[in-house]
Amino acid sequence: MFKNRWMQSVLLGMMAMLVVVACTPTPTTQSPANAPDAAPLTQLTFGVGPYFPTPNENRKQFEPLFNTLAEQVKLPAEVTVADDWIGISEALRSRTLDVAWLGPWGYVLAKHNDPSLQVIATVKYKDKPTYYSVLMARADAPFNTLDEAIAQSQQSGTKLKLSLADVGSTSGWLIPQAEFKQRNLDPKTIFDYTEGASHAAQAIGVLSNQVDIASDYDRNLDVLTAEGRIDKSQLKIIWQSDPLPNDPIVVRGDFPEEIKTQLQEALVNLPPDQAKTLLPTNYTGFIASDGSNYAPIQQAGVSVGKLK
């Protein structure tokens, strides 16, 4: 009799468990930001890479824009200034940041690892959404073109010193590397080669005779000249790239759609007079972008073997 009661208890327990399981909702793969119970944003975290020589200068240049954008969506802003280009991309990809002003190559690298990242705008410089990578030398250098510099470095007893920038830089590393790849040349064998310098150090390195040739981008040379850091007349451009897409404004994956739309509209509709007060010198506003204009950067990444 005891045995029968014990069996009845077990069967009743099993039936109760089946009822509970049957009534439990099946988990979904809905992303946290789109889930009905997702916590609303309480602030917007913005990030920017090392465009200017010091973090304080970077913050001074970009914080006004980020604060204004946050005001548009009625949220406080928190601004992070990264020490290197790859760092800011990784912070966005890891969801430490909501929105970032990235370099084109940094965006392509981050997008490659996290397809959920989305471009919402491309900045305009002197009313154009493009810029140029350059290789520069001193104005009195005994060569005027990259071809001449390559020939001199190969034929003379002493190799010319070439400095490329941070490997996360579009204009300072990726595009010059792609140019050498297209020529079927290895800069490490042709030149006395170094890489990793900040853009701010590149022109100064050339002018101070530390290197013979250095990479940079036209916008940065304008900034250094305007700030009195260099005399651009003492430099010459020995090579210039095709037009490259300017920097993108990128939002993390799972970013709220409504806020993304509001930010994009605020950027694209930024009045010219307000752009002068909110953006660094010569930056004049934004165009809408879905990221497709960065295809040439992706192609360059493939050509140098950094992307597949």
Side-chain angles (χ1 to χ4, degrees):
M1 185 174 183
F2 173 79
K3 183 177 181 181
N4 289 339
R5 290 180 179 176
W6 179 82
M7 287 296 295
Q8 287 176 357
S9 299
V10 170
L11 287 172
L12 288 172
M14 291 177 66
M15 290 175 65
M17 288 177 63
L18 288 172
V19 170
V20 171
V21 171
C23 295
T24 301
T26 302
T28 69
T29 55
Q30 199 169 22
S31 61
N34 296 323
D37 58 349
L41 290 178
T42 57
Q43 66 176 13
L44 280 182
T45 55
F46 294 90
V48 64
Y51 287 90
F52 291 87
T54 68
N56 284 340
E57 288 177 87
N58 248 6
R59 186 174 296 279
K60 180 181 177 181
Q61 292 287 344
F62 292 100
E63 202 166 45
L65 172 68
F66 295 147
N67 285 333
T68 299
L69 290 176
E71 289 172 6
Q72 294 289 319
V73 296
K74 297 179 173 57
L75 289 171
E78 179 181 321
V79 179
T80 297
V81 176
D83 294 328
D84 59 72
W85 301 92
I86 293 178
I88 200 71
S89 302
E90 286 300 310
L92 185 68
R93 195 164 69 86
S94 67
R95 309 297 194 266
T96 304
L97 299 175
D98 296 314
V99 186
W101 182 315
L102 295 180
W105 178 224
Y107 158 66
V108 169
L109 283 172
K111 177 77 171 179
H112 180 72
N113 293 316
D114 183 356
S116 70
L117 301 184
Q118 297 179 56
V119 173
I120 59 174
T122 295
V123 72
K124 293 189 293 184
Y125 186 80
K126 296 181 178 178
D127 289 330
K128 294 181 179 180
T130 55
Y131 74 116
Y132 297 92
S133 168
V134 300
L135 291 174
M136 57 189 166
R138 288 180 297 281
D140 60 357
F143 49 85
N144 295 307
T145 66
L146 179 56
D147 287 324
E148 292 177 0
I150 290 170
Q152 179 177 327
S153 193
Q154 287 177 319
Q155 295 167 10
S156 65
T158 305
K159 293 181 179 180
L160 295 176
K161 294 180 180 179
L162 169 67
S163 171
L164 297 190
D166 181 341
V167 297
S169 168
T170 310
S171 58
W173 189 88
L174 174 66
I175 299 303
Q177 287 284 5
E179 174 66 20
F180 286 117
K181 189 73 174 181
Q182 186 177 355
R183 292 168 178 257
N184 294 315
L185 298 174
D186 183 355
K188 294 181 180 180
T189 62
I190 295 170
F191 298 100
D192 181 357
Y193 176 90
T194 59
E195 63 183 33
S198 69
H199 277 284
Q202 289 289 74
I204 295 171
V206 171
L207 293 173
S208 61
N209 291 307
Q210 296 176 50
V211 296
D212 300 298
I213 305 166
S215 60
D216 206 347
Y217 58 109
D218 58 334
R219 301 189 326 239
N220 190 54
L221 293 177
D222 288 346
V223 169
L224 294 175
T225 300
E227 293 180 348
R229 295 175 183 268
I230 65 168
D231 179 353
K232 198 159 66 171
S233 68
Q234 295 180 11
L235 296 169
K236 62 182 173 185
I237 304 303
I238 65 169
W239 172 84
Q240 179 173 287
S241 71
D242 292 333
L244 306 170
N246 272 336
D247 307 328
I249 304 298
V250 185
V251 299
R252 61 170 169 81
D254 302 328
F255 190 72
E257 192 69 26
E258 181 181 357
I259 299 179
K260 182 185 76 173
T261 300
Q262 290 175 325
L263 292 179
Q264 185 179 55
E265 290 176 352
L267 289 165
V268 173
N269 296 321
L270 188 67
D273 58 336
Q274 194 174 11
K276 287 183 179 180
T277 62
L278 295 179
L279 297 173
T281 304
N282 292 324
Y283 287 86
T284 51
F286 297 86
I287 63 167
S289 172
D290 61 2
S292 59
N293 51 328
Y294 296 91
I297 309 302
Q298 183 177 15
Q299 292 166 4
V302 171
S303 75
V304 302
K306 291 295 184 180
L307 297 176
K308 295 182 179 180

